[in-house]
Amino acid sequence: IGLGVKFANLPVPASLARSVVWGALLGCLDPILVILGASSGRDPFQLPQDSGKGGKGKGGKGSSFGALSGQLRKIKKDLAAPVESDHIALLRAATQYDEAKKSGGEAGARSLCQRYSLNPQAVKAVIDFRNKMRQELKTQRLISDDVQMWVNRNSDSIPIILAVVAAGVFPNLAVRRSHKKKIEVNGGRVDAGVHPSSVLDFGGGGKDGSKGGKGGKGGEAGGPSQWLCYTEMTQVEERYSMSGVSHVSSLTLMLLCGDDPLEIQGPGPDVSVSFLDGWAEFVMPLDQVTKVQNLRYALREAFASY
């Protein structure tokens, strides 16, 4: 059975199924299954219950959407620390829920949901999804009991987990350039903001037609560009908002994201490396580029033969 057929038989969209294979290959399968469960279903996080402090009724200090989103953002930040990642916040919340339920039963799970402002049904569905996917992967013969430890050998490595997340959600990439207030998405054609409850909320939002341009080699005046990956982008009127956002390294982009070859330009010891029609562009020594190219090719060969 070909890899495409196995993808089609998994209970997730093909775009997310790529994350499953990368997760197994790079040794962080279980964390990726949890993140997929949270990303493909109802958001386990919910706005904190209004305590009513600072004002009565809708619109009071304690009940405004902005204030409650800020409270939820702090909860997520504490969960994800020291990294800034909505995906890691989701992972840690669901993992702690599973542990609390095993050790403290329903009462322990309920207490943890209150602490982290989690929807009990939604977070339970995430754990159920992970367990269902484990069994489905065995049925499709993508994994077996003999390799359970191997496919989870890097489950504690946050950089590897986030690299797999970025590969799975590609081409959902964004960049925050040092000279711009807005965040570029869709190859620089659209500017967007981040959902106010996101760990990475930078403030503000984006409007269609506010061009970003390609400029952005890492190392502009004011600091390097910050590359991000996101799970979903929504539009309300002219504003675009990203949710499920995490930082992604330039090396991850070059190694794991997309199937097209990297474009290399420049005659000197430092060359330009780009993809996505030049929107994602980096400058690095030629000898390092050769190593990156070879590793990118080897990773794709491993993916195709899994």
Side-chain angles (χ1 to χ4, degrees):
I1 300 178
L3 189 60
V5 175
K6 293 178 181 179
F7 274 1
N9 290 332
L10 293 176
V12 293
S15 58
L16 296 181
R18 292 176 61 89
S19 301
V20 176
V21 177
W22 280 123
L25 281 172
L26 299 181
C28 55
L29 179 60
D30 278 359
I32 291 301
L33 294 181
V34 169
I35 292 171
L36 287 180
S39 301
S40 60
R42 182 178 179 182
D43 188 353
F45 288 105
Q46 58 188 3
L47 290 178
Q49 296 297 311
D50 181 12
S51 63
K53 295 179 181 180
K56 293 183 179 180
K58 189 175 180 179
K61 181 179 178 181
S63 61
S64 72
F65 175 77
L68 295 177
S69 294
Q71 293 175 30
L72 182 55
R73 181 168 64 250
K74 185 179 185 306
I75 290 171
K76 291 181 179 179
K77 279 181 175 287
D78 291 343
L79 272 167
V83 298
E84 291 186 322
S85 165
D86 290 332
H87 299 99
I88 297 304
L90 283 169
L91 172 62
R92 289 177 175 166
T95 301
Q96 290 186 38
Y97 168 87
D98 193 30
E99 294 171 352
K101 189 171 184 179
K102 288 177 180 177
S103 61
E106 293 297 334
R110 186 165 52 251
S111 175
L112 187 125
C113 286
Q114 292 173 350
R115 178 183 177 187
Y116 291 137
S117 195
L118 298 170
N119 180 292
Q121 290 75 33
V123 71
K124 178 181 181 299
V126 171
I127 300 302
D128 290 344
F129 175 89
R130 180 200 63 188
N131 296 338
K132 178 181 178 181
M133 282 295 297
R134 282 174 174 170
Q135 185 57 48
E136 190 66 30
L137 289 169
K138 291 179 183 178
T139 301
Q140 297 295 329
R141 296 184 179 179
L142 285 167
I143 64 170
S144 64
D145 291 332
D146 296 337
V147 298
Q148 276 291 342
M149 291 185 63
W150 187 81
V151 297
N152 283 297
R153 65 195 183 281
N154 294 316
S155 287
D156 293 329
S157 174
I158 299 302
I160 292 179
I161 293 171
L162 290 180
V164 173
V165 169
V169 301
F170 183 85
N172 289 1
L173 297 180
V175 60
R176 186 170 187 249
R177 305 196 189 278
S178 58
H179 65 285
K180 292 189 62 179
K181 293 182 179 180
K182 301 291 180 65
I183 302 171
E184 299 175 21
V185 295
N186 288 353
R189 293 182 292 274
V190 173
D191 284 346
V194 178
H195 192 278
S197 68
S198 171
V199 171
L200 284 88
D201 176 38
F202 299 113
K207 291 187 178 182
D208 188 13
S210 179
K211 297 219 171 178
K214 294 182 180 178
K217 303 169 187 170
E220 301 167 341
S225 300
Q226 298 179 49
W227 283 91
L228 311 167
C229 64
Y230 63 92
T231 300
E232 183 180 19
M233 185 167 65
T234 56
Q235 180 183 2
V236 178
E237 296 180 346
E238 292 185 342
R239 290 187 175 274
Y240 293 84
S241 177
M242 297 179 292
S243 57
V245 186
S246 296
H247 286 290
V248 56
S249 71
S250 57
L251 184 59
T252 292
L253 294 176
M254 289 184 281
L255 287 178
L256 296 180
C257 291
D259 297 317
D260 295 334
L262 301 175
E263 295 185 15
I264 302 171
Q265 295 180 335
D270 291 339
V271 297
S272 166
V273 184
S274 65
F275 61 103
L276 293 176
D277 295 326
W279 180 53
E281 185 178 9
F282 312 95
V283 175
M284 58 192 304
L286 179 59
D287 61 333
Q288 292 185 15
V289 172
T290 302
K291 294 176 182 178
V292 168
Q293 277 187 310
N294 292 339
L295 185 52
R296 180 181 172 92
Y297 177 79
L299 285 168
R300 270 146 190 75
E301 287 291 298
F303 182 96
S305 62
Y306 187 81

